[in-house]
Amino acid sequence: MKFYVHYEIEPEMTIACRWRDSDEGSVGDVLKLFLDAYNKRYPSHALNASTLQLVDESRQFLDLDLSVEDAIQDGADIYVLTKLPSKSTEPVAATAASLVEDKTANSKSSLLDILRSAQLTGGFELPISVRDGSTYDDHLLIANAIQLAHKYLVDENAKEAAVVYKCILEVHPGHKSACIELGQLYARASRYQEAVKYLKQALASYSGDEELLKILGDYLVENGDYLEAVDVYAACVDKLKNAGPDKIDDIKVRITRAKRLEGHESAALTLISSVLQRKKENEEGLLEYARLVHTKGPEQATEAMAICMCLAAPMQHNKKYHMFLADVVRRHGVGLLYAEMKTAADSPAALAYLATQIRDYGAVEEAATVMKRALDIEPSHVSCALAYIHTLQVLVKYDEAYEFIRQFTVTNGGQSVAGVKCSWFLPLIPKLDTLYMNSVIANEGKIPDEFSSCSSSTGGPYSTAELQLVAIYFTLVKILFFRGAVELLKPLCKLLDSAHSGRDLHTTLIRNESAYFSCISQVVKVPGMHVPAGVAEKTEFIYFAGESHTISPAWRSITYQGRPHVIHPILATGLKVWHLRPESRFYPKVAFYNAMGKVPQGSTVIFCFGEIDCREGLTTAVQKCKYETLEESVMAVINVYVAALKKLMKKHKFKVFIHPVVPVLAVTRKVVSLFNKMLKERLAKSKRLRYLDFSDALLTEDGLKLNPQYELDGSHLHPSYLSVIEDALKG
């Protein structure tokens, strides 16, 4: 087998070790082999085995007495680290960030304190315990600090990792690995200006380093500094004159991108053509070429689409590729996509895969068309059927989604979940001209007698296909609810309960569909729903836009401006406020604007978003170093929210009220409280965006818990809280 041994402290070194199955030896022998090579090359920096240890790729220590066969795998990366001398102290629970706040501490002691604290709090294991009075040197400190930073990154705590890297750079300002990794950390957080700073800091010590120049150029491009990026890439090419042509071409592709983004498309096309002339299989080069030519005419569009199909497999995880593919399909149509898919255009699996990718980047109409083609070929393709139904929801084509589910049920009546057959649903899904506020009652009398014998406690876990099948009918309930066809969904809930109860579906891949079904099935049992009897009934509405938190108040009446109004739900499934920023192309944003386009001009609209941001995004953004503080993270999202609502209000003449983020979940209540406080302050001076200030009214007197009268399912508010909204609207 072959594996690699790395030493990452200057002067750095890597050796490749070939170890035959017949070779005997221990991990300690590997260390000796590395030391012999290192000390021969760098005699003035000779290393001593007694001060070193080996770790694997996950930074777990390797026992030097173990055999190579037992400890190391083929192709593995092994790292040589310096042991840290020990120094004892009392355990203290401190983070890296809190330790470096001590202004009196010098750089080395701060770094050592971070390492000791990490060991004592159980999150990091040093090779030996820390004892007072020991001496230490820079190499030893930095080696272990790099290891600690890596652990923080594995734990998805970039904020603490950044503190460690910065302490390393206080001790060793030009440390190459620390600069690169800190730059990467900030680049992942889209803070390219900081990333550029640390790459330039490394270049001050390693002038002309090809790796640093290449990375710096990439960050300059992302930061919009295209001219400087071209200069940096040119310097890199100059340093690579004696390297192989592939390395030079790699930089030329990067220069092409910078020139294209700068607006110099002719020069970019000339450069990338020369790269592809030498090696037409250059994948990144092909993508850049396709970007440059696809708008030049039909022939070039065909060439670009052909390139996209060739890159589908090698770039299956490349977001920029999928975004470009969505652009090409939106501009040139699905016909061109089918033509260049060749025989794969008749493969439901290939069609479904590509449809999902382009949908996620905004080509929603086109994705629906491609999914429908897949289903025409294979009507029983359950996963594609579910994706198609969700896509129709994004397009606000609820009637079409309903009819598709009805036809799917006819075609696949023999399929079943938990003993419940698809055919049993058919009497409950009559053919309708429209769903909207349809008061038709399903024919429950035609449900087979076998239904009563079904038990939710029988059988094992659902297969993936069974999960997706039951999700189709959960989604049917969701569609009926939001279109106001409430009488139709009640018997469906009864039929689906046996497939839902006791199954822990919230832990499966259909947790979202299950959550909507569970909430709706509870809410429709709460008295007081008032769905108008079709569009003929003259009703005044207050439109309520949100994600799942639209369920509780939906189709219920309140008094507003002295007259009864019905709360009309407007659904944008899964929408974070963060999705509404201008550059976002994620399909929940498309769903939101499609849904808002159906609201009549001049309507009164309550917007209820931000709960998912508080639950999933705000604290994570701080941990990932996107923002320095939680307050900064919250304000960034609020600014996106306010800007989006102002544009909607201007375009549609809406009267806008903003609902506070609901404080239902205990685990996010502090974040929600901060968000609502800052949102209220942000809107205090607004004359047209009015904040409904009732968040505290939903809590107990001490403000620590949700008021029990507003509890429903642990995630949503009880419909009874509508009286609180009614009071807030009077203010």
Side-chain angles (χ1 to χ4, degrees):
M1 66 176 174
K2 183 180 180 181
F3 54 90
Y4 304 87
V5 184
H6 311 275
Y7 184 66
E8 296 183 322
I9 299 175
E10 292 80 2
E12 299 178 5
M13 182 172 171
T14 295
I15 66 169
C17 294
R18 296 188 181 276
W19 209 271
R20 296 188 298 270
D21 292 341
S22 58
D23 289 343
E24 295 183 359
S26 66
V27 174
D29 293 325
V30 174
L31 177 59
K32 183 178 183 302
L33 185 69
F34 175 83
L35 285 177
D36 289 344
Y38 188 92
N39 292 341
K40 182 177 180 180
R41 181 180 296 182
Y42 303 113
S44 61
H45 294 83
L47 300 174
N48 188 313
S50 64
T51 66
L52 301 173
Q53 64 211 341
L54 294 180
V55 299
D56 61 18
E57 296 172 61
S58 61
R59 300 294 165 161
Q60 296 298 311
F61 296 105
L62 298 177
D63 187 338
L64 296 181
D65 294 327
L66 282 177
S67 69
V68 172
E69 183 181 4
D70 291 336
I72 301 174
Q73 295 182 345
D74 185 34
D77 289 296
I78 307 301
Y79 298 87
V80 180
L81 295 183
T82 310
K83 295 178 182 177
L84 183 68
S86 57
K87 181 178 179 182
S88 63
T89 182
E90 292 300 314
V92 288
T95 64
S98 65
L99 285 166
V100 297
E101 288 175 359
D102 182 359
K103 305 296 184 184
T104 63
N106 64 45
S107 301
K108 290 185 181 180
S109 63
S110 291
L111 193 54
L112 187 57
D113 283 346
I114 288 171
L115 291 167
R116 290 175 188 149
S117 177
Q119 180 187 30
L120 292 167
T121 54
F124 180 67
E125 183 179 352
L126 293 173
I128 50 178
S129 61
V130 184
R131 297 186 297 271
D132 282 325
S134 298
T135 60
Y136 54 87
D137 60 25
D138 294 358
H139 289 312
L140 177 149
L141 278 174
I142 291 171
N144 285 275
I146 289 283
Q147 184 181 353
L148 176 59
H150 289 170
K151 180 190 181 302
Y152 282 135
L153 291 175
V154 170
D155 293 341
E156 297 185 346
N157 193 344
K159 185 177 178 65
E160 291 294 327
V163 173
V164 176
Y165 286 129
K166 289 176 182 178
C167 279
I168 292 171
L169 295 177
E170 288 292 325
V171 176
H172 189 329
H175 191 278
K176 184 178 178 182
S177 294
C179 286
I180 289 176
E181 292 175 21
L182 186 55
Q184 290 171 336
L185 182 154
Y186 280 120
R188 285 192 292 269
S190 299
R191 293 172 62 176
Y192 294 106
Q193 194 167 346
E194 287 94 334
V196 165
K197 169 187 170 183
Y198 289 106
L199 267 294
K200 288 183 175 180
Q201 185 170 326
L203 277 165
S205 298
Y206 294 89
S207 179
D209 183 278
E210 299 95 328
E211 180 185 16
L212 292 173
L213 288 169
K214 181 172 73 172
I215 299 172
L216 174 59
D218 292 347
Y219 296 163
L220 287 167
V221 168
E222 295 297 340
N223 200 46
D225 300 322
Y226 307 127
L227 284 173
E228 186 178 357
V230 170
D231 290 340
V232 169
Y233 286 140
C236 187
V237 170
D238 189 55
K239 291 291 181 180
L240 290 170
K241 283 188 295 188
N242 297 323
D246 286 349
K247 288 187 175 182
I248 294 175
D249 283 352
D250 174 55
I251 305 302
K252 287 182 177 179
V253 172
R254 286 170 156 81
I255 295 174
T256 297
R257 179 169 181 248
K259 286 184 176 292
R260 172 177 59 80
L261 292 171
E262 189 185 357
H264 295 164
E265 292 193 359
S266 179
L269 185 57
T270 299
L271 180 59
I272 201 64
S273 296
S274 68
V275 170
L276 295 175
Q277 188 173 7
R278 194 194 70 80
K279 187 178 180 180
K280 62 182 180 180
E281 297 84 7
N282 187 311
E283 292 168 1
E284 292 290 344
L286 284 168
L287 184 58
E288 277 302 321
Y289 176 80
R291 289 182 186 278
L292 285 162
V293 304
H294 81 98
T295 60
K296 306 299 183 185
E299 186 177 334
Q300 291 87 342
T302 299
E303 186 180 16
M305 185 68 82
I307 289 171
C308 285
M309 293 300 97
C310 289
L311 297 176
M315 289 195 171
Q316 58 182 307
H317 302 301
N318 187 319
K319 291 182 179 180
K320 291 180 178 178
Y321 160 75
H322 291 300
M323 190 178 295
F324 175 64
L325 175 61
D327 286 342
V328 175
V329 174
R330 287 176 70 185
R331 185 181 184 97
H332 303 291
V334 296
L336 185 59
L337 173 67
Y338 298 152
E340 295 307 319
M341 286 181 72
K342 310 297 184 187
T343 57
D346 294 320
S347 164
L351 289 164
Y353 170 76
L354 287 173
T356 302
Q357 298 303 323
I358 63 174
R359 181 197 64 180
D360 288 354
Y361 290 95
V364 182
E365 288 272 9
E366 294 78 9
T369 301
V370 176
M371 289 176 184
K372 187 61 169 63
R373 178 183 175 97
L375 289 162
D376 287 342
I377 298 170
E378 187 179 336
S380 61
H381 197 304
V382 179
S383 64
C384 187
L386 180 60
Y388 179 58
I389 294 163
H390 285 321
T391 304
L392 290 175
Q393 288 182 89
V394 173
L395 296 169
V396 200
K397 294 183 177 181
Y398 292 110
D399 285 3
E400 193 172 326
Y402 174 85
E403 180 58 23
F404 172 79
I405 295 172
R406 198 184 71 81
Q407 289 294 338
F408 180 88
T409 303
V410 171
T411 305
N412 299 281
Q415 296 194 49
S416 65
V417 178
V420 178
K421 295 180 180 179
C422 288
S423 60
W424 295 0
F425 289 100
L426 202 53
L428 308 181
I429 317 174
K431 188 171 181 60
L432 300 171
D433 293 330
T434 181
L435 287 180
Y436 189 47
M437 296 189 294
N438 196 314
S439 58
V440 66
I441 299 175
N443 190 348
E444 294 182 68
K446 291 187 178 180
I447 297 177
D449 294 336
E450 299 100 302
F451 167 64
S452 60
S453 64
C454 292
S455 172
S456 62
S457 61
T458 59
Y462 291 148
S463 67
T464 297
E466 287 176 319
L467 286 170
Q468 292 166 336
L469 184 62
V470 75
I472 287 175
Y473 294 102
F474 287 163
T475 305
L476 173 60
V477 168
K478 176 183 174 184
I479 290 169
L480 292 171
F481 180 83
F482 282 100
R483 295 308 286 162
V486 175
E487 295 304 319
L488 269 176
L489 69 84
K490 289 179 180 178
L492 280 168
C493 289
K494 181 180 177 181
L495 191 56
L496 284 165
D497 272 339
S498 63
H500 180 269
S501 300
R503 292 284 183 169
D504 293 330
L505 296 181
H506 64 283
T507 65
T508 69
L509 59 87
I510 65 163
R511 57 188 174 275
N512 291 329
E513 292 89 347
S514 173
Y516 270 91
F517 170 76
S518 178
C519 186
I520 290 169
S521 63
Q522 291 181 67
V523 165
V524 295
K525 295 173 185 175
V526 178
M529 294 194 76
H530 175 76
V531 181
V535 294
E537 180 180 331
K538 292 185 178 180
T539 306
E540 290 189 89
F541 291 114
I542 292 177
Y543 293 87
F544 193 104
E547 9 79 26
S548 63
H549 295 287
T550 58
I551 297 172
S552 296
W555 306 117
R556 296 175 187 273
S557 294
I558 63 172
T559 299
Y560 172 62
Q561 295 181 339
R563 303 185 305 278
H565 286 68
V566 172
I567 301 294
H568 189 306
I570 299 295
L571 178 65
T573 302
L575 183 79
K576 294 180 182 179
V577 172
W578 188 244
H579 294 151
L580 296 177
R581 66 197 192 282
E583 65 272 22
S584 172
R585 296 171 58 176
F586 196 30
Y587 67 89
K589 177 182 176 180
V590 178
F592 171 74
Y593 284 109
N594 284 341
M596 295 314 303
K598 301 294 183 180
V599 178
Q601 288 279 110
S603 296
T604 298
V605 186
I606 298 173
F607 290 90
C608 182
F609 294 101
E611 191 275 330
I612 304 178
D613 298 87
C614 290
R615 174 162 39 96
E616 298 180 359
L618 294 173
T619 55
T620 301
V622 177
Q623 289 177 337
K624 291 182 176 180
C625 277
K626 192 169 187 67
Y627 302 102
E628 291 296 324
T629 66
L630 182 58
E631 289 76 9
E632 185 183 347
S633 181
V634 169
M635 187 50 67
V637 172
I638 288 174
N639 287 339
V640 170
Y641 200 9
V642 171
L645 294 185
K646 282 183 176 179
K647 288 182 179 179
L648 272 177
M649 185 171 56
K650 182 178 180 180
K651 180 178 180 180
H652 297 288
K653 312 301 180 186
F654 292 151
K655 183 175 183 180
V656 173
F657 293 94
I658 301 180
H659 193 292
V661 174
V662 295
V664 177
L665 298 176
V667 69
T668 62
R669 197 164 291 136
K670 287 184 178 180
V671 178
V672 167
S673 177
L674 176 64
F675 188 97
N676 287 336
K677 175 179 178 291
M678 294 180 67
L679 180 60
K680 177 183 175 181
E681 292 170 353
R682 176 73 167 78
L683 297 173
K685 297 180 181 179
S686 175
K687 296 180 179 179
R688 303 181 67 189
L689 297 177
R690 182 179 157 195
Y691 177 70
L692 297 175
D693 188 11
F694 63 81
S695 181
D696 291 344
L698 301 174
L699 302 173
T700 53
E701 288 188 9
D702 58 11
L704 298 178
K705 297 180 180 179
L706 184 69
N707 189 321
Q709 75 179 95
Y710 301 130
E711 292 178 355
L712 179 69
D713 59 0
S715 299
H716 302 88
L717 292 169
H718 191 277
S720 62
Y721 98 100
L722 201 53
S723 62
V724 181
I725 295 181
E726 186 176 60
D727 290 340
L729 288 168
K730 294 175 183 177

